[in-house]
Amino acid sequence: EEAPRRGGTLQSVLWPEPPGIMTGIYTQSSALLPTTKIFESLLTYDFNLNPHPNLAESWEISPDGLKYTFKLRENVRWHDGEAFTADDVVFTYGDYLIEVHPRARAVFERAQVSKLDDHTVVFELKEPFAPLIRSFDLCCLIVPEHLYKGTDFRKNPNNLAPIGTGPFKFDEWKRGEYIHLARNDDYWRDGLPYLDDIYYRFVPDAASRALALETGQMHIATQNDLELFDVDRLSKLPHLDVTTKGWEWGSPIVWIEMNLRKEPFSDKRFRQAMMYALDQNYFRDVIFQGYAKVATGPVHSASPFYEPDVPAYRQDLKKAEALLDEMGLKPDADGKRTTIKLLGLPYGEMWNRSAEYTRQALRKVGIEVILEPSDPAGWATRTRNWDFEMTMYFLTTMGDPALGVSRTFLSDNRKQGVLFTNHAGYANPEVDALFNKAAVSVDEEERKQLYSQVQKILVDDAAVLWLVELVWPTVYNKKLHNVVTGASGPNSSFADAWLAE
Amino acid sequence: MHSWRIGVGAVLLGLITVMAIAAPLLAPFDPMAISGPPLLPPDASYLLGTDMLGRDVLSGMIHGARVSLIVGLVSALCSAGIGITVGAIAGYFGGAIDRALVRFTEFFQVIPSFMFVILLVAILTPSLLSITLAISVVIWPPVARLVRSEFLTLKTREFVEAARSLGLSHGSVIVREILPNAMPPVLAVGSLMVATAILTEASLSFLGLADPNMTSWGYMIGSARPVFRHAWWLSVFPGLLLFLTVLSITLLSEGLGDKSNPSLRGQAGH
Amino acid sequence: MSLLRIEDLRIALPKGGDRAFAVDGVSLHVDQGETLCVVGESGSGKSLTASAIVGLLPSRSLRVAGGRILFEGSDTLRMSSRELQDLRGGRVGFVFQDPLSSLNPLERIGKQVEEVLRQHRWTGDHRQRVLEMLSAVQLPSPESLVEAYPWQLSGGQRQRVMIATALATRPSLLVADEPTSALDVTTQAQILELLRDLTKQHGIALFLITHDFGVVARMADRVAVMKSGKLVEYGTRDAVLRTPREAYTRKLLDAVPPLRAGPARPAGEPVLKATGLTKSWVTRGSLFRPGRTVAALKNVSMSLGHGNTLAVVGESGSGKSTLARVLMCLTGADSGQADLVGINANYLGLRSRDLATVRRNIQLVFQDPYASLNPRRRIGAAVAQGPLAQGEKPGAVHARVAELLGKVQLDPSAADRYPNEFSGGQRQRIAIARALAMRPRVLIADEAVSALDVSVQAEILTLLKDIQRDEGLSMIFVTHDLRVAARMADQVIVMQSGCVVEQGAMQDVLTAPQHHYTAALIDAVPSLPSISVQQ
Amino acid sequence: MRFVYAFAAWLPRALLVLVAIGLLNFFLIRLAPGDPASVLAGETGASDARYIEEIRKSYGLDQPLWLQAATYLRNLATFDLGVSYRMQRDVADIIGERIPATLLLTSTALVLAIIIGTLLGIQAARRAGTWQDTVISAFAMLCYATPVFWVGLLLVLLLSVHAGILPPFGMSGLIPKSGFAAVLDALHHLVLPVMTLALFYFAVYVRLGRSATVEVLGRDFVRSARAKGLSERQVLRRHVLRNSVIPVVTMAGLQVGQLLGGAVIVESVFAWPGIGRLAFDALMQRDYNLILGIFFVSSIMVVLANLITDLAVRSIDPRVGRS
Ligand SMILES: Nc1ncnc2c1ncn2[C@@H]1O[C@H](COP(=O)(O)OP(=O)(O)OP(=O)(O)O)[C@@H](O)[C@H]1O
Ligand SMILES: Nc1ncnc2c1ncn2[C@@H]1O[C@H](COP(=O)(O)OP(=O)(O)OP(=O)(O)O)[C@@H](O)[C@H]1O
Ligand SMILES: [Mg+2]
Ligand SMILES: [Mg+2]
């Protein structure tokens, strides 16, 4: 193993160009890459989602699961030289995130955060919420109280040149071209970071991105940056490496959500028929080029709560047709039984192809699908307002089902106008009860038990059409070391990443 | 000298039209159906290869001709309708009506038309209807200008005065006396509108503003863009056909419009 | 030795042209200081002959197929382009027909005149010479004129500039290709005068192309008559004009009407009366430029008797056409009144759908036989159009069309053909038939014959007279040609800048003009009898 | 003085066009399905009701329609193009950063297309009917019929992927350079996009240059010039060129709008950081305020270009602006 080298400039692909890189405000996945180099959270997580100290040196959870006490590091300074204190933490989790970040709000609203002394904070809960310790993730990074308190967070001038505690400082944003981060010489981890600076380059064309990695002009690309068949090709090049680790924290699942308020989706047999008509292996092999796993249910297979023993839907056109016949949806002269609409995810070619394949596969059993074109805003608006028949997207299930899974199925989470809630209108008292009980339980075994029950029910119900679990590749130059070291993968701080000569 | 252009153009365009009409008979596969392994280079059974999902490129191209030609023709007809009406009224009646209509036309000529098309289609969401509509809305000004200038000269021609002094109404003077004489150059420019419309539709599709329920050339090229370095056949062949179509129409229009003013060409953009 | 000698010149037309040779074996010569007039009908090859002299054939597709053109002894057909350039504008000056487009619109007058001096390395002060030439052609205030642009000058002024340019380098030959036919009569006369004076004064030979025998009579020493590319008659002016040898020449000469009024017919009951007609054309100004108002008619009154012909004469822009259009209700008048006596009192200002009786009773024949027929309408349909629009029965209209075509001496089969299959004279007959189809009481002819060759002109005039007699028509005859007016009209009104400056019986006005403008008009007419006067 | 007049005549028309575009923008948003406020907020609005309120207030969406339109126009007049809710920045600022790149690309392409195209067109006209004419015209015809985006892709495939001589995207290399090297670097990156964009317009100017010259060559004053003893070259330079350039300049003015449309495609093919690609990105995100802003700013550019052409035509053609 080589010794780490100091110096060097990391050239990273970034696409699309994020609207901004202030943590909390800009939560687009492309914003996270630079944001996580500038800001830090209390904890980090390993591949098994176990917490490790970061800005918090140590922590303690009371046995009743109601009180979390964090001891903060003392030698940390903001990029502008101010000291990092408990006030910053209290402000971030008690004020800032609650206002700007809807998902963080859902978690931290449950807690009362206060400072014990300058370097100790405590989170107090009314009822236990086991996932809290897994919630100090890359969406919940700490912002400087002295610059934000009392201001209009969204219009704060510092948003354009964010001040954090991370190993890299914001230097320049050349619009349309790159974001430049420079080394933070006062970083609290002595001798780190290794890299002198990082350029995040906006390269809009996937083929160009692949070419740049191929020629060694760029060192790293991740998530959707590359077309998957390019990944396959690039992985065979001697100077490049590929890893699919580092997305455990997100655990994204691709699915089609149906509007259960409408015919024929309200009929379980119709949903099951569609499950039988679709070939998940095709999604995995052709559309996602092997960078996916077949999804069997609502919980990601990387989660400790995953239940493999659920009803399986292998592609079986006969079964699908039998179910449709049973429902009374007989084929007409053209073999057409019914016509439904699918709102595709407007995030690029891969998603177009997924929608197009779905249309072709369902047509084989007599279900005619009309694809509805849309755009990100239109998709979001229609989905959150329940204005769809079927909508395809991927949801990050975030390790713990209480954080990422139950939101889609709880009947009291049917919140029209809020994205990533229970858009479909699924309502099952049994499911509600199981999810609610599991969320407040502090007994890991009991939670596993409850979640596995819930999974069986939902899968049998075909509450959504599960397709695949996404596996995002990170392709990087072998000269780059310590790229993916934990659950946040390339979204880690890169303090110990280094470039060989 | 110019008849060969009409000849070559007509033959080419004829072939493409026949292809579009007989698409279900000619295409070896259903253009939407997954009929083979993905990204297969051209070979004996998939003459022009397959795309990312394993759909036959040749079949897609053959069916894509329909969208291109329909959008081209319908937009050109609509825009000719708008252009002729505006131009004829402005040129014939003159005065304040003319000034107002000229301003109106100028406005549509000044605005960055392709951006306007993009905006319209994006806002109305892409469909055959919205695309055709948006294209028609921006490409008519050259027709209107041409018709107006033809009317300005023709209306002072003595046969028009003669028709008026024989007691014909304004309507029949416009429609039966002047318009037929203004038609040849309008036909030339109008046929060029077809080409412009086809190119605009392709450009829109290329940018992702396409109706996903139809195969079109621009859409094929646009969706193949991520892979065009490896699967060149996905963008080269549809582009070639698009090019040939536009070329044939341009040849035809050149031939037709040889006598009309060529400076009116090249108005609407890509 | 002749200054210019053309020997057996042949110019080939491209395949599919009117004929094989545009110019076919023409031989002529021009001596030092003399004037040769070349006449002949349109398309006879006059212009091509002239342009061949210095190698300026208008198109690559035309080619000199044989012969020699000796200028001062050397054959210009064999000259290098360098030598030809020295000749052009240096030893040979050129003036073309259309003064409106012969000057580059983007350059100042002075520069364009000076260019020829520069090109031929005129020794001496260029500017001085330019001013000298501009005053020689009697242009007002040359100093300011050199700064002007062509489009700021009138047609006559531009033609003077062209003459100044052509003569600036003191050429020994001036070629002028119909230099006045685009100008109005009075200006025409002035320009011809000027050309004659300048060439005689400096001993410059003049090769003058014209189709007007009046011009020939006034200008020529010798005359060449061309027809279909061939030289048909060639001789001194007096010999050709007085004792033409060829029938063709005689026909051309006979067709020129004398400036003499025929016997006046008795004045009939008035059928059409107009009083106090006023009409102004307003051109729109912009923010900073005031609009321009042209008073095309100022308080014009006229009266037309039954069976009579009223001539309206005057120079270009004097308002003749405007008068005709106002009477036809093709243009509204600002004020004034017109009555179709006994049918429709004060019909001006009626709305277009109430004009049926006016349309029925007044019809129009236009100047340009090529523009007055819709090229996309068959002749029969064109003639039938009016009655059909008035609601007559198709059957009856059909019969009338056949009858009318016969009356204007056209074959009945003409009904199924398109205008482009007819000659100019035939088209004018069709236009007359179309007007007659409405059975009008009044026929207005606006320059109905001025676009036609003299011989055809004569035929149409005769036809109109015959029809007028047969149908009992009253006629308003608009023309700028006094000779034509004299031949046709009983009464005349003379217009200048929108005003009627004189009116009365044709004969009286011709013999004893009251207004000096009328007198000037009469003087300006180049006419054959003037030959004797000139000598 | 004429130029002052030209300006004074242009100003009210330009203002009229801009007001009309403003109104068009205003109504376009309302054409979109759904509440204008959430349309404007785009994706961001999906999660935040606060924005929607903010937009409602800043656009006066609770007021009567005509008042809203008036507010909108007043904002435009002060160059307040609103906020891109996705980028959380003023639209005017975002566009301002991108304009130079677009100006560089489009003006280079237009100037090259005009110069090369017109010269070739004139050459073709002089040799009308010969093989030179045929070759030039045929080449122009091919360029004319080629879809811009396709050419872009082919050029990348040939010149960057296979030949490797030109960079396929961006405006600068990965390693930032300074001084002259930076200029060279930018020029190097400029080649492909300019070629692509210029190709179509090149064809237009060949055709226009040719037809204008053929027309001028047939005019009588050319014959007069020859009759003065000028050589063909002199005739061309002194009399034909200026006359045949007039329609070219006029056309160039009319085409600026089209050129900006072409920039949308070319910039997105070549990742050129100008307003064309910005428009494309905004389009993909349906960042309507930004697209409308770009549309408005492009229109201003076109209107300005019209003034420039008008002045250029005036300086060539003394007839314009006088009677
Ligand atoms: N550029 C040309 N190309 C082809 N044919 C031409 C051209 N110019 C003239 N001709 C033909 O040559 C013949 C003679 O033409 P020319 O111009 O010399 O006649 P013209 O006697 O001057 O007649 P006009 O009195 O109408 O001017 C005509 O038949 C005409 O059609
Ligand atoms: N449609 C019009 N608009 C503006 N001005 C006009 C119009 N028609 C004629 N004029 C002007 O009115 C005046 C008289 O024109 P009119 O046509 O009656 O003259 P004319 O005597 O028939 O001349 P010509 O012999 O040249 O035919 C001219 O100055 C002319 O410029
Ligand atoms: Mg002639
Ligand atoms: Mg007249």
Side-chain angles (χ1 to χ4, degrees), chain A residues 229-230 282 349 356 371, chain B residues 53 55 213 219 223 227 230:
Chain A
F229 47 79
D230 266 336
Y282 186 90
E349 285 310 319
E356 284 170 13
L371 300 184
Chain B
L53 286 180
R55 293 173 295 199
N213 296 297
Y219 184 63
S223 63
V227 296
H230 324 293

Side-chain angles (χ1 to χ4, degrees), chain B residues 99 157-168 170 176-178 180-182 184, chain C residues 284 325 328 330 359 363 366-368 371-377 385 389-390 434 438:
Chain B
R99 285 195 293 281
R157 290 276 286 279
E158 291 171 348
F159 73 84
V160 176
E161 305 247 279
R164 281 179 59 201
S165 63
L166 290 172
L168 271 71
H170 288 310
R176 304 194 29 214
E177 295 294 313
I178 307 184
N181 286 291
Chain C
R284 245 171 63 85
R325 292 170 52 86
M328 272 305 297
L330 286 173
R359 298 294 183 227
Q363 275 300 312
F366 294 91
Q367 167 170 6
D368 186 350
S372 65
L373 293 172
N374 186 342
R376 293 177 182 271
R377 195 175 282 289
Q385 200 177 16
Q390 300 286 342
R434 179 177 58 186
M438 300 289 277

Side-chain angles (χ1 to χ4, degrees), chain A residues 83-100:
Chain A
F84 162 79
T85 67
D87 290 329
D88 296 312
V89 180
V90 171
F91 169 72
T92 300
Y93 295 106
D95 239 357
Y96 179 80
L97 286 176
I98 301 291
E99 174 163 347
V100 301

